[in-house]
Amino acid sequence: MRDCANRGRVYLRCGCRDLNRRQLGAACPRLADGVHGKWSFAVDIPAGGGPRRTVRRSGFPTRDKAQSALRRFHEGRALGFDGDPNQTLADYLRAWLCAIALRLKPTTVARYRAAVEEDLIPALGAIRLEELCHDHIAAFVQRELDNGRGRPTVFKILSTLSSALANAVRNRRLPHNPARPTVIPRPAADERRTWTAEQAVRFLAHCKGVDPQFADLFEVIIGTGMRKGEALALHWDHVPTHNRIMSIRYTLSAVGQELLLTTPKTKKSKA
């Protein structure tokens, strides 16, 4: 056992047991050959005002890798982030969702949460964050495609995972993002087809006979290029009739079963 320069202990240990079935750990005589066993680290940290607790992590193939993991643990704690090496991907993703909920639109958070709870955690959640690798992700993608999931859907799920893991890299929890490079490329967007003026007139004439109010709404959307949610979120004070100018300030978004007024999709949407 030896002290690491950045606080903590790095040492060799194994799973061998004595005649009484007690684990030998770092006392196994076979560790002297330098081949037997795996490298580990242990570090004592405060525990919320109570007695200090020891965090241990083992299974590193070399001393350098164990020391690097210990260094990342301390770097994360110095930045105020959870550096528990035993944290599973499920626990990390849920903590990440709580953090981003303070700065992202509710619709974006709802989309991320659906990918996390319905897809990522059931498939990969039991893996420890620091043990997640590209092979795990590639196998997950292949299973999803084999089960009939569309490539655009799988790509969106991977984008959510990549965003979460990129945050782990910024916080010194991971040395690199295992979701990059992406397993599948971004699917090409469908080609958009624009109506002719005659098609638009025919559509509005049909709507006028079915529901005049919807016809008026569609005419505003066609004439201005507004998004549906932006048109539905218009306030009367955003449509002053004296100068014939409309101001886009909100969009109506569906978050689960609830309708919310949120900010427009992009900065340029405020027009």
Side-chain angles (χ1 to χ4, degrees):
M1 184 180 298
R2 56 173 292 183
D3 289 338
C4 186
N6 57 359
R7 303 184 312 281
R9 305 176 297 283
V10 174
Y11 55 93
L12 268 173
R13 65 171 293 122
C14 68
C16 296
R17 297 177 182 273
D18 61 18
L19 296 177
N20 296 318
R21 303 301 298 164
R22 288 180 298 191
Q23 194 171 56
L24 295 175
C28 178
R30 295 178 58 195
L31 295 176
D33 62 18
V35 177
H36 182 67
K38 294 289 185 179
W39 285 94
S40 308
F41 76 71
V43 58
D44 297 328
I45 61 173
R52 297 173 70 86
R53 65 186 178 94
T54 301
V55 174
R56 293 182 174 86
R57 172 77 187 277
S58 61
F60 300 100
T62 66
R63 174 183 292 166
D64 287 344
K65 289 187 179 298
Q67 289 177 333
S68 295
L70 177 58
R71 182 174 60 254
R72 291 198 305 273
F73 174 82
H74 282 300
E75 288 172 348
R77 285 186 53 81
L79 293 172
F81 300 106
D82 183 2
D84 184 359
N86 293 318
Q87 186 181 38
T88 63
L89 180 64
D91 291 339
Y92 172 77
L93 289 175
R94 287 180 175 133
W96 172 73
L97 284 173
C98 291
I100 63 171
L102 302 176
R103 52 187 171 83
L104 295 183
K105 291 179 60 174
T107 48
T108 304
V109 175
R111 187 175 70 250
Y112 284 166
R113 180 169 286 109
V116 166
E117 296 291 349
E118 298 172 14
D119 298 292
L120 294 172
I121 287 180
L124 304 170
I127 302 172
R128 288 198 293 191
L129 173 64
E130 294 183 12
E131 292 180 342
L132 182 70
C133 68
H134 194 268
D135 287 346
H136 292 128
I137 299 170
F140 163 73
V141 169
Q142 192 60 56
R143 286 196 304 270
E144 293 298 296
L145 295 177
D146 291 344
N147 289 334
R149 301 292 291 276
R151 294 176 73 90
T153 299
V154 176
F155 181 82
K156 289 179 181 178
I157 296 170
L158 284 184
S159 296
T160 298
L161 178 61
S162 182
S163 295
L165 296 179
N167 192 67
V169 174
R170 286 192 295 271
N171 297 342
R172 310 293 199 277
R173 289 299 312 280
L174 295 176
H176 67 279
N177 185 344
R180 291 292 181 187
T182 185
V183 178
I184 56 176
R186 178 188 293 273
D190 294 334
E191 183 180 357
R192 298 183 179 182
R193 300 179 62 183
T194 305
W195 282 352
T196 65
E198 291 76 12
Q199 289 173 322
V201 168
R202 189 162 64 250
F203 171 76
L204 292 174
H206 170 77
C207 292
K208 187 74 73 173
V210 176
D211 191 320
Q213 288 189 326
F214 269 113
D216 293 340
L217 172 65
F218 294 145
E219 186 171 357
V220 170
I221 293 175
I222 291 174
T224 61
M226 297 169 62
R227 295 181 175 88
K228 177 181 65 176
E230 295 168 353
L232 292 172
L234 284 172
H235 293 47
W236 281 114
D237 56 350
H238 298 159
V239 193
T241 56
H242 65 279
N243 58 8
R244 301 172 63 84
I245 294 178
M246 291 189 299
S247 300
I248 310 303
R249 295 295 178 264
Y250 300 99
T251 186
L252 187 67
S253 303
V255 180
Q257 301 297 317
E258 188 177 4
L259 293 176
L260 299 176
L261 286 176
T262 63
T263 57
K265 185 173 182 180
T266 66
K267 292 182 178 179
K268 292 183 178 180
S269 296
K270 287 188 174 183

